[in-house]
Amino acid sequence: MSLEIKRLAGSFGVEVSGIDLNGEIGANLFRTIHQAWLDHDGVMVVRDQRLTPASQLAFASRFGTVRTPDPPEFGLPDYPMVYSSAFDVADAPKLLDFTQTGAAWHSDYAYETEWAGASLLYVRAMPPKGGDILFADLYAAYDALSASMRAFLAPLKAVQRPVPIRRHDDEGDPAAVHPMVRTHPETGRQALYVSPGFTTEIVGLAPAESEALLKFLAAHCTQPQFVLRHHWVPGDLVVWDNRCNLHYALGDYSGGGRVDFQRVAVNGG
Amino acid sequence: MTFTISPLSGAFGAEVRGVDLAHGIGDNLFQTLKQTWLDHDGILVVRDQHRMTPVQHVDLASRFGALIDPDPPDHRLPGHPLVYRVSYPVAETPKPRDFVDTGNAWHADYADAGTWSGVSILHVIEMPPKGGDIFFADLYAAYDALSPAMQQMLAPLAAVHSSAAHVKHRDGKPGSVHPIVRTHPETGRKILFVSPGFTTAIVGLSSKESHALLGFLNDHVTQPAFILRHRWIAGDLVFWDNRCNLHNAMGDYAGGGRVTFHRVSVCG
């Protein structure tokens, strides 16, 4: 079994194969994989894994401090830090929304004060069609802004709320204020930190001003040249970086079968 | 004849009655009119000036500053080359006319031509029974309504103003660059200087960034609270200030008759 690392898409993303994450992963091997993940703007697909919740947790911990799933009820009884979701899919179901599948452009936990770093999602089962996940590269999106626009955004902060997934009242819902441009603590690069799905307003701007700027940024970050799409193969472990990408999990499953995945997320540092 | 000044709208503009400007006016009255015009954010309507001649019109305008040669040249009034004249018959239900004759896009006069113009004084000589209203927008109010954060963000930016989209003879000409935030030389107040009709791009931004920001700014300056609508009546002498207003003339004249007006513009 030899390690293979190759690009996923033209501009970002990396695919790793020939490794068994259940086994012993020495410091050098981990460093190689971790660096490949950072170098390819934080999207990595590791193929052909047979993970257990324990081994997924162990691997995730090497990226940072593991954090509680949101909502916590989705944590596994024996492994509360592992978010697990499994359900059957009808032959021709309705398009599932964000409450079940993350179908909105977002960065995990952006509505919390402590931002998230890596999210590691392991897929055990997927229906025959649908369920692809998309990633948007926020380093590239930031770099593509004009110098004037970057100067414009530099002092701004935005409010992020879990808008599409709150099933109860606004009271008690988390909301966090984060700078709109953030520096990645491991690469030193700057990226836009705006989740179209969660960002409700820019601090200090009038509502119409905020709306116009957010609308522009949402369209800007998700242009085709910044986006890659991944089709799940059962056994895939995908690691993304909530500090420099957005993701969008499509809920367009069809053809029967079952969805079964587990996710562990760590703090951003 | 009682001299009265009354406001035209909640935001800006004043109407003056009871003066006759046809024989020249003393300095005191001129200063009163000018100050009223400045205080009402650049819009002044003086009613019933039927007897004003082109010579008097030019004299009055000269008291504000140096005059601008009208463009296009074929619209200059014969014998009075500093007067821009529009005159044509109106059908019962006419087809829409172009920008040169109707100004039907939000703009400030001559913003595309390098000079920043100041007052424009328009004398209405005849109007058809229907249509032809003009809108004005208050660019002081538009600036004041921006959040301080947005005001700061716009402060270093400049935009290109070009009428090429509306005016064939200016096709191919590059337009001129103006700061987005300007200070009025006579009032010292700040102005948001963008116009849906003329502002084509923000310097230094990508075309999508520019389009997004201009989209917001254009909607912002022309929102209901910042605009007023004026119905022309023959005899009106209307003053507007191309430094702090935009205007947009409907050109939807109907019902026969004729539209004739004379305009003199002053440098900014």
Side-chain angles (χ1 to χ4, degrees):
Chain A
M1 208 202 234
S2 60
L3 183 73
E4 254 194 75
I5 295 181
K6 60 181 204 231
R7 301 172 76 89
L8 254 183
S11 56
F12 72 118
V14 65
E15 179 188 89
V16 173
S17 49
I19 186 171
D20 179 2
L21 297 176
N22 276 328
E24 178 67 33
I25 308 292
N28 280 342
L29 181 53
F30 180 76
R31 198 174 301 125
T32 302
I33 297 169
H34 185 249
Q35 195 58 48
W37 176 69
L38 291 175
D39 289 345
H40 289 82
D41 296 5
V43 175
M44 175 168 71
V45 177
V46 188
R47 299 284 194 189
D48 302 312
Q49 299 304 306
R50 277 174 300 278
L51 294 177
T52 64
S55 60
Q56 186 173 359
L57 261 178
F59 185 60
S61 310
R62 299 178 83 156
F63 287 81
T65 311
V66 169
R67 65 194 290 164
T68 311
D70 181 33
E73 308 88 81
F74 277 70
L76 287 170
D78 294 331
Y79 298 92
M81 298 304 223
V82 178
Y83 177 113
S84 184
S85 181
F87 52 91
D88 292 319
V89 166
D91 280 311
K94 288 189 313 212
L95 184 64
L96 298 182
D97 69 15
F98 190 85
T99 59
Q100 287 170 285
T101 68
W105 282 108
H106 67 287
S107 174
D108 295 328
Y109 301 94
Y111 47 83
E112 306 276 6
T113 310
E114 170 71 58
W115 67 337
S119 283
L120 295 87
L121 199 146
Y122 175 57
V123 164
R124 287 178 197 282
M126 266 289 156
K129 269 183 83 168
D132 290 357
I133 187 166
L134 292 93
F135 297 99
D137 183 351
L138 298 178
Y139 287 135
Y142 178 76
D143 290 343
L145 295 171
S146 67
S148 291
M149 181 55 78
R150 284 187 244 154
F152 214 66
L153 295 174
L156 300 180
K157 295 188 203 293
V159 180
Q160 313 233 24
R161 294 177 218 275
V163 171
I165 58 175
R166 290 298 99 172
R167 286 170 287 260
H168 38 264
D169 273 328
D170 285 331
E171 265 208 59
D173 273 357
V177 175
H178 290 285
M180 292 180 72
V181 177
R182 300 197 69 159
T183 304
H184 195 289
E186 297 184 78
T187 66
R189 291 176 67 187
Q190 290 192 289
L192 279 169
Y193 191 66
V194 186
S195 289
F198 292 162
T199 307
T200 53
E201 70 241 43
I202 299 173
V203 176
L205 293 191
E209 297 168 355
S210 179
E211 212 179 288
L213 196 49
L214 287 175
K215 189 170 162 197
F216 161 74
L217 289 171
H220 174 77
C221 293
T222 56
Q223 294 179 81
Q225 64 269 32
F226 304 143
V227 171
L228 76 81
R229 180 193 267 250
H230 175 70
H231 176 64
W232 295 105
V233 175
D236 280 349
L237 173 74
V238 173
V239 186
W240 66 82
D241 191 340
N242 294 292
R243 296 165 294 191
C244 59
N245 5 94
L246 298 174
H247 58 280
Y248 189 123
L250 283 164
D252 58 346
Y253 316 107
S254 67
R258 190 165 173 74
V259 174
D260 185 345
F261 66 83
Q262 286 75 48
R263 191 192 72 196
V264 182
V266 307
N267 289 340
Chain B
M1 222 208 249
T2 342
F3 176 79
T4 57
I5 300 174
S6 32
L8 276 175
S9 80
F12 67 128
E15 175 191 90
V16 167
R17 289 185 186 270
V19 294
D20 182 356
L21 307 180
H23 302 292
I25 52 172
D27 277 342
N28 279 347
L29 182 53
F30 175 75
Q31 285 308 324
T32 300
L33 285 177
K34 185 175 178 192
Q35 196 58 48
T36 305
W37 167 71
L38 289 172
D39 289 346
H40 287 83
D41 294 6
I43 302 293
L44 187 69
V45 176
V46 185
R47 301 284 192 192
D48 304 315
Q49 304 305 305
H50 304 277
R51 298 185 295 176
M52 178 169 264
T53 67
V55 169
Q56 289 154 357
H57 189 172
V58 168
D59 280 349
L60 176 57
S62 311
R63 293 171 86 158
F64 284 84
L67 302 185
I68 293 175
D69 290 321
D71 184 53
D74 61 354
H75 276 60
R76 293 176 191 168
L77 176 64
H80 304 273
L82 290 164
V83 177
Y84 180 97
R85 174 184 169 87
V86 169
S87 183
Y88 53 84
V90 169
E92 282 296 320
T93 49
K95 288 194 303 221
R97 295 186 69 101
D98 70 16
F99 178 83
V100 172
D101 283 333
T102 61
N104 55 350
W106 287 102
H107 66 287
D109 294 328
Y110 299 104
D112 59 321
T115 49
W116 196 30
S117 63
V119 66
S120 281
I121 306 177
L122 191 146
H123 186 212
V124 180
I125 293 159
E126 48 188 337
M127 269 288 151
K130 274 177 77 166
D133 290 358
I134 188 167
F135 285 94
F136 294 102
D138 183 351
L139 300 179
Y140 289 132
Y143 179 80
D144 291 342
L146 296 170
S147 69
M150 180 58 77
Q151 289 171 346
Q152 259 180 303
M153 293 199 291
L154 294 175
L157 300 180
V160 180
H161 293 248
S162 162
S163 59
H166 304 286
V167 186
K168 281 201 210 46
H169 72 273
R170 299 216 189 100
D171 234 353
K173 296 212 179 136
S176 40
V177 175
H178 296 273
I180 288 183
V181 178
R182 305 198 67 162
T183 303
H184 195 287
E186 297 186 78
T187 66
R189 290 174 65 189
K190 295 238 174 110
I191 291 143
L192 178 57
F193 197 66
V194 292
S195 70
F198 279 8
T199 308
T200 53
I202 298 177
V203 176
L205 295 189
S206 73
S207 64
K208 283 184 185 163
E209 293 169 353
S210 181
H211 186 76
L213 192 52
L214 280 177
F216 160 71
L217 291 171
N218 286 337
D219 284 348
H220 179 78
V221 301
T222 56
Q223 59 183 287
F226 303 153
I227 65 178
L228 73 83
R229 181 179 186 130
H230 175 73
R231 185 170 82 84
W232 301 111
I233 299 173
D236 278 354
L237 191 68
V238 176
F239 300 67
W240 68 81
D241 190 340
N242 294 293
R243 294 164 296 190
C244 59
N245 318 127
L246 301 176
H247 56 279
N248 187 354
M250 290 295 96
D252 56 347
Y253 312 106
R258 198 174 175 86
V259 55
T260 299
F261 62 81
H262 292 167
R263 189 190 77 202
V264 182
S265 301
V266 174
C267 296

